[in-house]
Amino acid sequence: MTADASLHLPGHPHVHRDADGHLRVEGLRVEQLAERFGTPLYAYSRAAIVESVRAYRRALAGRDHLVCYAMKANSNLALLQLLAAEGCGFDIVSGGELERVLAAGGDPGRVVFSGVGKTEAEMARALEVGVLCFNVESESEIERLAEVAARTGRVARVSVRVNPDVDAGTHPYISTGLKSNKFGIAHDRALEVYRRAAALPSLQVVGIDCHIGSQITDISPYLDALDRVLDLVEALEREGIRIPHLDVGGGLGITYRDEAPPAADALVAALIGHLERRGHAHRTLMFEPGRSIVGNAGLLLTRAVVLKGPAHDTGNVDPQAKNFCIVDAAMNDLMRPAMYGAWMGIVEAGPTAGLPPATWDVVGPVCESGDWLGRDRVLAVKPGSLLAVLSAGAYAMSMASNYNTRGRAAEVLVDGDRAWLIRERETPLDLFRGEHLLEPGALGG
Ligand code: LLP
């Protein structure tokens, strides 16, 4: 496997095409993975995940910091276990995610709890296990959290998620730092909310938080948001409300196609430089990255099941007709194209010599026209060909559903020339296990 640097895939440090034309994750051919584990299959590179965390941590070395992996990007237990071992805490947004952290052996004392609609049961559980901090997102949440903490005889550590009203320049569905978004507490209300939090005995103010969006490819919105946050911190400390930690959220983008986001260490260095200039470098610095940790560490492997259209059906000479490559993965496995019109790279998994390339819409078998993975892609395929969807480590498996009673895919973690099954493929029985048939008497008639 002579790995010519030019055969590495953009953005994917541990995926390359070997000299014989076979795509590999680390040392393993993806064709072998598909043979062994079946398709559709998610395959992740352990080295890529570890290196992306280390890029953040390297730039933060020597300072008080915590990288809280935003596990909504990919919440597989084995990945959480790996990230905990790398020193990560976790950013969670539900009681379910908290249980995953605990099941993976993560430390609840390194968990920040974000989210606009935390229920009282979720708050109580998070207090019981001792999460590091609640990122409070509304004025009423302050009151409810204080009540739940008082009722259970605990003190809730809080940080207000400030909505700085800056434009992250990203897709409207994943932009969160504008006044018109549902997230956080408006900048001009934050002072008053902190005063209230500081006055409630069952709350302890420990920090300030902001997250402005996702797939951000430029440093400047981060600096704008940081400036707004620091203005608040200065005002708060003038009033005697101490703000030990600054959580700047997640959001760093990855390369799907030709985006050129800053490297994680460059982003961290720019933020630290700005903190130093403004005299705030002594604070604990926290991040909540998701996509930039796992996004380009993963592939979705899928096999062509049916080809239709003039490129395949010799009798079809309609010049207007499209070519469809119908694969065994679908929108239920990978929602991003259907939901955001997202572009995800799709490449052949093996050598294509002798197969003529044609332009295909790569679609799934789900009964929706929105069920597509890529449109107008030039690929050399035949029925049974294996394809790889790139950049599928983040917001892919974690957004999968069972629509059309399709079991969710299996997941494997590749480490050098070994592969570990980290999630089994769901069977139909798994899907209807919790359902109940009506008793005969309830059928009426
Ligand atoms: N912190 C908070 C409070 C968040 O809401 C998010 C993401 C993150 C951190 C992590 O952001 P990241 O580093 O992954 O950009 N499903 C969409 C992305 C939704 C992001 C939601 N919040 C997609 O597939 O593009």
Side-chain angles (χ1 to χ4, degrees):
M1 45 163 250
T2 44
D4 179 326
S6 64
L7 299 177
H8 274 87
L9 274 76
H12 293 70
H14 292 278
V15 179
H16 73 278
R17 198 174 285 287
D18 67 24
D20 301 322
H22 299 279
L23 196 68
R24 290 179 185 256
V25 176
E26 300 195 18
L28 286 181
R29 287 186 177 174
V30 298
E31 292 147 304
Q32 290 169 331
L33 294 172
E35 280 296 316
R36 183 165 155 208
F37 298 103
T39 53
L41 178 72
Y42 279 102
Y44 310 116
S45 155
R46 180 187 200 276
I49 295 173
V50 166
E51 280 169 23
S52 54
V53 175
R54 291 188 184 165
Y56 279 91
R57 302 212 57 212
R58 202 169 38 239
L60 287 160
R63 304 176 176 274
D64 280 341
H65 73 271
L66 186 59
V67 176
C68 289
Y69 167 62
M71 60 185 281
K72 62 172 80 72
N74 188 326
S75 55
N76 182 287
L77 294 187
L79 302 191
L80 303 185
Q81 183 189 22
L82 179 63
L83 290 163
E86 282 296 314
C88 284
F90 298 97
D91 169 56
I92 64 165
V93 290
S94 72
E97 288 193 342
L98 178 55
E99 297 308 323
R100 281 186 175 274
V101 172
L102 299 173
D107 176 1
R110 296 161 83 82
V111 164
V112 296
F113 193 171
S114 305
V116 291
K118 303 176 191 79
T119 66
E120 294 191 7
E122 287 174 321
M123 291 174 178
R125 176 70 174 143
L127 284 166
E128 182 191 345
V129 300
V131 299
L132 176 65
C133 175
F134 290 83
N135 289 338
V136 172
E137 302 221 20
S138 62
E139 301 187 30
S140 67
E141 186 184 340
I142 289 275
E143 306 298 332
R144 282 194 310 129
L145 181 59
E147 249 173 62
V148 176
R151 204 189 307 143
T152 54
R154 293 189 158 88
V155 171
R157 289 176 288 272
V158 297
S159 157
V160 169
R161 175 165 174 189
V162 177
N163 183 328
D165 198 23
V166 302
D167 187 356
T170 185
H171 188 288
Y173 280 18
I174 54 176
S175 170
T176 53
L178 286 169
K179 241 183 180 158
S180 53
N181 300 134
K182 70 180 174 186
F183 299 98
I185 293 179
H187 190 267
D188 52 13
R189 295 285 308 149
L191 261 180
E192 208 168 310
V193 173
Y194 266 109
R195 286 185 197 124
R196 176 74 183 138
L200 289 165
S202 60
L203 300 186
Q204 181 193 358
V205 172
V206 292
I208 194 162
D209 166 52
C210 113
H211 169 82
I212 53 174
S214 196
Q215 187 53 17
I216 302 170
T217 52
D218 190 5
I219 291 181
S220 60
Y222 281 99
L223 297 178
D224 294 346
L226 186 59
D227 266 330
R228 305 272 287 159
V229 166
L230 293 179
D231 292 346
L232 262 174
V233 170
E234 288 166 7
L236 286 164
E237 294 206 338
R238 275 196 298 272
E239 295 193 13
I241 300 174
R242 283 196 57 242
I243 305 292
H245 82 232
L246 287 177
D247 179 344
V248 295
L252 179 61
I254 61 171
T255 303
Y256 284 99
R257 191 174 196 172
D258 50 12
E259 305 88 333
D265 37 4
L267 171 66
V268 174
L271 291 169
I272 291 175
H274 205 63
L275 288 173
E276 276 167 359
R277 277 191 295 281
R278 289 197 52 173
H280 289 272
H282 57 288
R283 291 177 210 282
T284 300
L285 190 52
M286 293 175 41
F287 285 85
E288 301 169 359
R291 191 189 317 262
S292 56
I293 302 293
V294 288
N296 278 347
L299 303 179
L300 171 60
L301 304 179
T302 180
R303 237 178 243 294
V305 179
V306 172
L307 301 183
K308 62 190 270 189
H312 183 259
D313 304 322
T314 41
N316 184 347
V317 290
D318 178 356
Q320 306 291 312
K322 288 208 95 156
N323 294 313
F324 291 102
C325 171
I326 303 168
V327 295
D328 63 3
M331 65 189 288
N332 75 294
D333 300 294
L334 183 61
M335 281 282 282
R336 303 192 72 257
M339 191 158 168
Y340 315 110
W343 191 97
M344 316 274 295
I346 302 178
V347 299
E348 298 94 347
T352 55
L355 267 181
T359 302
W360 300 94
D361 275 15
V362 180
V363 303
V366 162
C367 303
E368 302 269 349
S369 292
D371 178 26
W372 57 278
L373 301 180
R375 289 184 165 145
D376 297 324
R377 302 304 175 85
V378 177
L379 292 164
V381 283
K382 59 179 194 238
S385 291
L386 186 68
L387 297 173
V389 183
L390 307 180
S391 313
Y395 303 112
M397 184 61 179
S398 62
M399 293 173 72
S401 80
N402 293 121
Y403 188 38
N404 279 203
T405 305
R406 290 171 49 86
R408 282 174 296 174
E411 293 175 290
V412 295
L413 182 67
V414 176
D415 181 11
D417 56 7
R418 292 180 303 177
W420 310 102
L421 181 66
I422 58 170
R423 183 188 174 110
E424 290 173 22
R425 181 177 309 287
E426 280 175 338
T427 66
L429 198 64
D430 292 330
L431 305 192
F432 51 75
R433 178 161 288 130
E435 298 179 33
H436 299 279
L437 289 172
L438 293 173
E439 287 173 19
L443 281 173

PDB file of all heavy atoms in Angstrom, residues 91-114:
ATOM      1  N   ASP A  91     -20.081  18.028  25.679  1.00  0.00           N
ATOM      2  CA  ASP A  91     -21.193  18.969  25.609  1.00  0.00           C
ATOM      3  C   ASP A  91     -22.416  18.129  25.281  1.00  0.00           C
ATOM      4  O   ASP A  91     -22.439  17.443  24.249  1.00  0.00           O
ATOM      5  CB  ASP A  91     -20.933  20.001  24.504  1.00  0.00           C
ATOM      6  CG  ASP A  91     -22.158  20.835  24.198  1.00  0.00           C
ATOM      7  OD1 ASP A  91     -22.696  21.461  25.124  1.00  0.00           O
ATOM      8  OD2 ASP A  91     -22.595  20.862  23.026  1.00  0.00           O
ATOM      9  N   ILE A  92     -23.408  18.169  26.170  1.00  0.00           N
ATOM     10  CA  ILE A  92     -24.609  17.352  25.962  1.00  0.00           C
ATOM     11  C   ILE A  92     -25.826  18.258  25.805  1.00  0.00           C
ATOM     12  O   ILE A  92     -25.814  19.416  26.239  1.00  0.00           O
ATOM     13  CB  ILE A  92     -24.853  16.371  27.131  1.00  0.00           C
ATOM     14  CG1 ILE A  92     -25.149  17.138  28.441  1.00  0.00           C
ATOM     15  CG2 ILE A  92     -23.658  15.439  27.324  1.00  0.00           C
ATOM     16  CD1 ILE A  92     -25.742  16.284  29.540  1.00  0.00           C
ATOM     17  N   VAL A  93     -26.868  17.705  25.187  1.00  0.00           N
ATOM     18  CA  VAL A  93     -28.096  18.486  25.027  1.00  0.00           C
ATOM     19  C   VAL A  93     -29.346  17.704  25.422  1.00  0.00           C
ATOM     20  O   VAL A  93     -30.454  18.133  25.107  1.00  0.00           O
ATOM     21  CB  VAL A  93     -28.264  18.996  23.571  1.00  0.00           C
ATOM     22  CG1 VAL A  93     -27.248  20.073  23.258  1.00  0.00           C
ATOM     23  CG2 VAL A  93     -28.153  17.862  22.570  1.00  0.00           C
ATOM     24  N   SER A  94     -29.143  16.566  26.082  1.00  0.00           N
ATOM     25  CA  SER A  94     -30.328  15.816  26.520  1.00  0.00           C
ATOM     26  C   SER A  94     -29.927  14.859  27.628  1.00  0.00           C
ATOM     27  O   SER A  94     -28.737  14.528  27.792  1.00  0.00           O
ATOM     28  CB  SER A  94     -30.927  15.012  25.358  1.00  0.00           C
ATOM     29  OG  SER A  94     -30.089  13.922  25.045  1.00  0.00           O
ATOM     30  N   GLY A  95     -30.957  14.374  28.348  1.00  0.00           N
ATOM     31  CA  GLY A  95     -30.716  13.349  29.356  1.00  0.00           C
ATOM     32  C   GLY A  95     -30.172  12.082  28.710  1.00  0.00           C
ATOM     33  O   GLY A  95     -29.354  11.375  29.301  1.00  0.00           O
ATOM     34  N   GLY A  96     -30.611  11.806  27.505  1.00  0.00           N
ATOM     35  CA  GLY A  96     -30.120  10.621  26.798  1.00  0.00           C
ATOM     36  C   GLY A  96     -28.622  10.718  26.554  1.00  0.00           C
ATOM     37  O   GLY A  96     -27.883   9.736  26.742  1.00  0.00           O
ATOM     38  N   GLU A  97     -28.164  11.889  26.139  1.00  0.00           N
ATOM     39  CA  GLU A  97     -26.724  12.041  25.907  1.00  0.00           C
ATOM     40  C   GLU A  97     -25.950  11.891  27.224  1.00  0.00           C
ATOM     41  O   GLU A  97     -24.856  11.331  27.244  1.00  0.00           O
ATOM     42  CB  GLU A  97     -26.425  13.390  25.231  1.00  0.00           C
ATOM     43  CG  GLU A  97     -26.874  13.417  23.763  1.00  0.00           C
ATOM     44  CD  GLU A  97     -26.335  14.585  22.963  1.00  0.00           C
ATOM     45  OE1 GLU A  97     -25.876  15.596  23.559  1.00  0.00           O
ATOM     46  OE2 GLU A  97     -26.388  14.515  21.722  1.00  0.00           O
ATOM     47  N   LEU A  98     -26.539  12.378  28.313  1.00  0.00           N
ATOM     48  CA  LEU A  98     -25.861  12.222  29.611  1.00  0.00           C
ATOM     49  C   LEU A  98     -25.693  10.739  29.947  1.00  0.00           C
ATOM     50  O   LEU A  98     -24.623  10.306  30.389  1.00  0.00           O
ATOM     51  CB  LEU A  98     -26.674  12.939  30.704  1.00  0.00           C
ATOM     52  CG  LEU A  98     -26.125  12.838  32.127  1.00  0.00           C
ATOM     53  CD1 LEU A  98     -24.681  13.326  32.211  1.00  0.00           C
ATOM     54  CD2 LEU A  98     -27.005  13.633  33.097  1.00  0.00           C
ATOM     55  N   GLU A  99     -26.732   9.950  29.710  1.00  0.00           N
ATOM     56  CA  GLU A  99     -26.625   8.510  30.004  1.00  0.00           C
ATOM     57  C   GLU A  99     -25.556   7.867  29.123  1.00  0.00           C
ATOM     58  O   GLU A  99     -24.866   6.940  29.548  1.00  0.00           O
ATOM     59  CB  GLU A  99     -27.981   7.810  29.843  1.00  0.00           C
ATOM     60  CG  GLU A  99     -29.068   8.291  30.819  1.00  0.00           C
ATOM     61  CD  GLU A  99     -28.658   8.288  32.303  1.00  0.00           C
ATOM     62  OE1 GLU A  99     -27.925   7.382  32.741  1.00  0.00           O
ATOM     63  OE2 GLU A  99     -29.076   9.225  33.025  1.00  0.00           O
ATOM     64  N   ARG A 100     -25.406   8.337  27.909  1.00  0.00           N
ATOM     65  CA  ARG A 100     -24.337   7.802  27.038  1.00  0.00           C
ATOM     66  C   ARG A 100     -22.952   8.106  27.635  1.00  0.00           C
ATOM     67  O   ARG A 100     -22.070   7.263  27.622  1.00  0.00           O
ATOM     68  CB  ARG A 100     -24.424   8.399  25.630  1.00  0.00           C
ATOM     69  CG  ARG A 100     -25.478   7.760  24.768  1.00  0.00           C
ATOM     70  CD  ARG A 100     -25.409   8.312  23.339  1.00  0.00           C
ATOM     71  NE  ARG A 100     -26.347   7.624  22.491  1.00  0.00           N
ATOM     72  CZ  ARG A 100     -26.087   6.474  21.859  1.00  0.00           C
ATOM     73  NH1 ARG A 100     -24.893   5.929  21.929  1.00  0.00           N
ATOM     74  NH2 ARG A 100     -27.021   5.878  21.144  1.00  0.00           N
ATOM     75  N   VAL A 101     -22.772   9.336  28.125  1.00  0.00           N
ATOM     76  CA  VAL A 101     -21.474   9.679  28.733  1.00  0.00           C
ATOM     77  C   VAL A 101     -21.173   8.718  29.871  1.00  0.00           C
ATOM     78  O   VAL A 101     -20.077   8.166  29.980  1.00  0.00           O
ATOM     79  CB  VAL A 101     -21.469  11.135  29.269  1.00  0.00           C
ATOM     80  CG1 VAL A 101     -20.204  11.414  30.076  1.00  0.00           C
ATOM     81  CG2 VAL A 101     -21.602  12.133  28.133  1.00  0.00           C
ATOM     82  N   LEU A 102     -22.193   8.489  30.723  1.00  0.00           N
ATOM     83  CA  LEU A 102     -21.981   7.625  31.880  1.00  0.00           C
ATOM     84  C   LEU A 102     -21.700   6.187  31.427  1.00  0.00           C
ATOM     85  O   LEU A 102     -20.795   5.529  31.940  1.00  0.00           O
ATOM     86  CB  LEU A 102     -23.210   7.671  32.803  1.00  0.00           C
ATOM     87  CG  LEU A 102     -23.537   9.060  33.378  1.00  0.00           C
ATOM     88  CD1 LEU A 102     -24.871   9.033  34.127  1.00  0.00           C
ATOM     89  CD2 LEU A 102     -22.422   9.556  34.300  1.00  0.00           C
ATOM     90  N   ALA A 103     -22.456   5.731  30.427  1.00  0.00           N
ATOM     91  CA  ALA A 103     -22.271   4.352  29.946  1.00  0.00           C
ATOM     92  C   ALA A 103     -20.892   4.160  29.324  1.00  0.00           C
ATOM     93  O   ALA A 103     -20.348   3.065  29.326  1.00  0.00           O
ATOM     94  CB  ALA A 103     -23.362   4.003  28.933  1.00  0.00           C
ATOM     95  N   ALA A 104     -20.336   5.236  28.777  1.00  0.00           N
ATOM     96  CA  ALA A 104     -19.016   5.140  28.139  1.00  0.00           C
ATOM     97  C   ALA A 104     -17.895   5.336  29.157  1.00  0.00           C
ATOM     98  O   ALA A 104     -16.717   5.319  28.789  1.00  0.00           O
ATOM     99  CB  ALA A 104     -18.903   6.182  27.020  1.00  0.00           C
ATOM    100  N   GLY A 105     -18.245   5.563  30.413  1.00  0.00           N
ATOM    101  CA  GLY A 105     -17.222   5.765  31.440  1.00  0.00           C
ATOM    102  C   GLY A 105     -16.692   7.183  31.482  1.00  0.00           C
ATOM    103  O   GLY A 105     -15.636   7.442  32.066  1.00  0.00           O
ATOM    104  N   GLY A 106     -17.420   8.122  30.869  1.00  0.00           N
ATOM    105  CA  GLY A 106     -17.003   9.534  30.894  1.00  0.00           C
ATOM    106  C   GLY A 106     -17.255  10.139  32.273  1.00  0.00           C
ATOM    107  O   GLY A 106     -18.044   9.611  33.066  1.00  0.00           O
ATOM    108  N   ASP A 107     -16.583  11.244  32.538  1.00  0.00           N
ATOM    109  CA  ASP A 107     -16.675  11.891  33.846  1.00  0.00           C
ATOM    110  C   ASP A 107     -17.764  12.969  33.796  1.00  0.00           C
ATOM    111  O   ASP A 107     -17.615  13.955  33.069  1.00  0.00           O
ATOM    112  CB  ASP A 107     -15.298  12.515  34.155  1.00  0.00           C
ATOM    113  CG  ASP A 107     -15.294  13.307  35.445  1.00  0.00           C
ATOM    114  OD1 ASP A 107     -16.341  13.364  36.122  1.00  0.00           O
ATOM    115  OD2 ASP A 107     -14.232  13.890  35.759  1.00  0.00           O
ATOM    116  N   PRO A 108     -18.854  12.802  34.563  1.00  0.00           N
ATOM    117  CA  PRO A 108     -19.910  13.824  34.536  1.00  0.00           C
ATOM    118  C   PRO A 108     -19.405  15.181  35.005  1.00  0.00           C
ATOM    119  O   PRO A 108     -19.957  16.221  34.643  1.00  0.00           O
ATOM    120  CB  PRO A 108     -20.993  13.269  35.463  1.00  0.00           C
ATOM    121  CG  PRO A 108     -20.354  12.173  36.238  1.00  0.00           C
ATOM    122  CD  PRO A 108     -19.170  11.689  35.467  1.00  0.00           C
ATOM    123  N   GLY A 109     -18.328  15.165  35.784  1.00  0.00           N
ATOM    124  CA  GLY A 109     -17.737  16.422  36.244  1.00  0.00           C
ATOM    125  C   GLY A 109     -17.046  17.185  35.124  1.00  0.00           C
ATOM    126  O   GLY A 109     -16.531  18.284  35.351  1.00  0.00           O
ATOM    127  N   ARG A 110     -17.023  16.627  33.925  1.00  0.00           N
ATOM    128  CA  ARG A 110     -16.472  17.331  32.763  1.00  0.00           C
ATOM    129  C   ARG A 110     -17.534  17.498  31.687  1.00  0.00           C
ATOM    130  O   ARG A 110     -17.213  17.552  30.492  1.00  0.00           O
ATOM    131  CB  ARG A 110     -15.274  16.544  32.200  1.00  0.00           C
ATOM    132  CG  ARG A 110     -14.115  16.456  33.187  1.00  0.00           C
ATOM    133  CD  ARG A 110     -13.184  15.328  32.825  1.00  0.00           C
ATOM    134  NE  ARG A 110     -12.213  15.680  31.819  1.00  0.00           N
ATOM    135  CZ  ARG A 110     -11.085  16.322  32.052  1.00  0.00           C
ATOM    136  NH1 ARG A 110     -10.795  16.724  33.271  1.00  0.00           N
ATOM    137  NH2 ARG A 110     -10.252  16.592  31.088  1.00  0.00           N
ATOM    138  N   VAL A 111     -18.793  17.573  32.140  1.00  0.00           N
ATOM    139  CA  VAL A 111     -19.895  17.697  31.178  1.00  0.00           C
ATOM    140  C   VAL A 111     -20.533  19.076  31.285  1.00  0.00           C
ATOM    141  O   VAL A 111     -20.816  19.542  32.394  1.00  0.00           O
ATOM    142  CB  VAL A 111     -20.968  16.607  31.459  1.00  0.00           C
ATOM    143  CG1 VAL A 111     -22.283  16.932  30.764  1.00  0.00           C
ATOM    144  CG2 VAL A 111     -20.456  15.237  31.024  1.00  0.00           C
ATOM    145  N   VAL A 112     -20.745  19.708  30.134  1.00  0.00           N
ATOM    146  CA  VAL A 112     -21.564  20.921  30.122  1.00  0.00           C
ATOM    147  C   VAL A 112     -22.886  20.563  29.455  1.00  0.00           C
ATOM    148  O   VAL A 112     -22.915  19.836  28.469  1.00  0.00           O
ATOM    149  CB  VAL A 112     -20.877  22.114  29.403  1.00  0.00           C
ATOM    150  CG1 VAL A 112     -19.621  22.534  30.152  1.00  0.00           C
ATOM    151  CG2 VAL A 112     -20.563  21.815  27.953  1.00  0.00           C
ATOM    152  N   PHE A 113     -23.955  21.083  30.044  1.00  0.00           N
ATOM    153  CA  PHE A 113     -25.302  20.719  29.599  1.00  0.00           C
ATOM    154  C   PHE A 113     -25.911  21.930  28.887  1.00  0.00           C
ATOM    155  O   PHE A 113     -26.308  22.900  29.516  1.00  0.00           O
ATOM    156  CB  PHE A 113     -26.128  20.302  30.815  1.00  0.00           C
ATOM    157  CG  PHE A 113     -27.432  19.597  30.501  1.00  0.00           C
ATOM    158  CD1 PHE A 113     -28.169  19.015  31.526  1.00  0.00           C
ATOM    159  CD2 PHE A 113     -27.931  19.493  29.206  1.00  0.00           C
ATOM    160  CE1 PHE A 113     -29.366  18.354  31.273  1.00  0.00           C
ATOM    161  CE2 PHE A 113     -29.118  18.839  28.929  1.00  0.00           C
ATOM    162  CZ  PHE A 113     -29.842  18.264  29.973  1.00  0.00           C
ATOM    163  N   SER A 114     -25.958  21.869  27.561  1.00  0.00           N
ATOM    164  CA  SER A 114     -26.548  22.939  26.747  1.00  0.00           C
ATOM    165  C   SER A 114     -27.965  22.542  26.353  1.00  0.00           C
ATOM    166  O   SER A 114     -28.395  21.422  26.617  1.00  0.00           O
ATOM    167  CB  SER A 114     -25.728  23.149  25.467  1.00  0.00           C
ATOM    168  OG  SER A 114     -24.374  23.394  25.755  1.00  0.00           O
TER     169      SER A 114
END
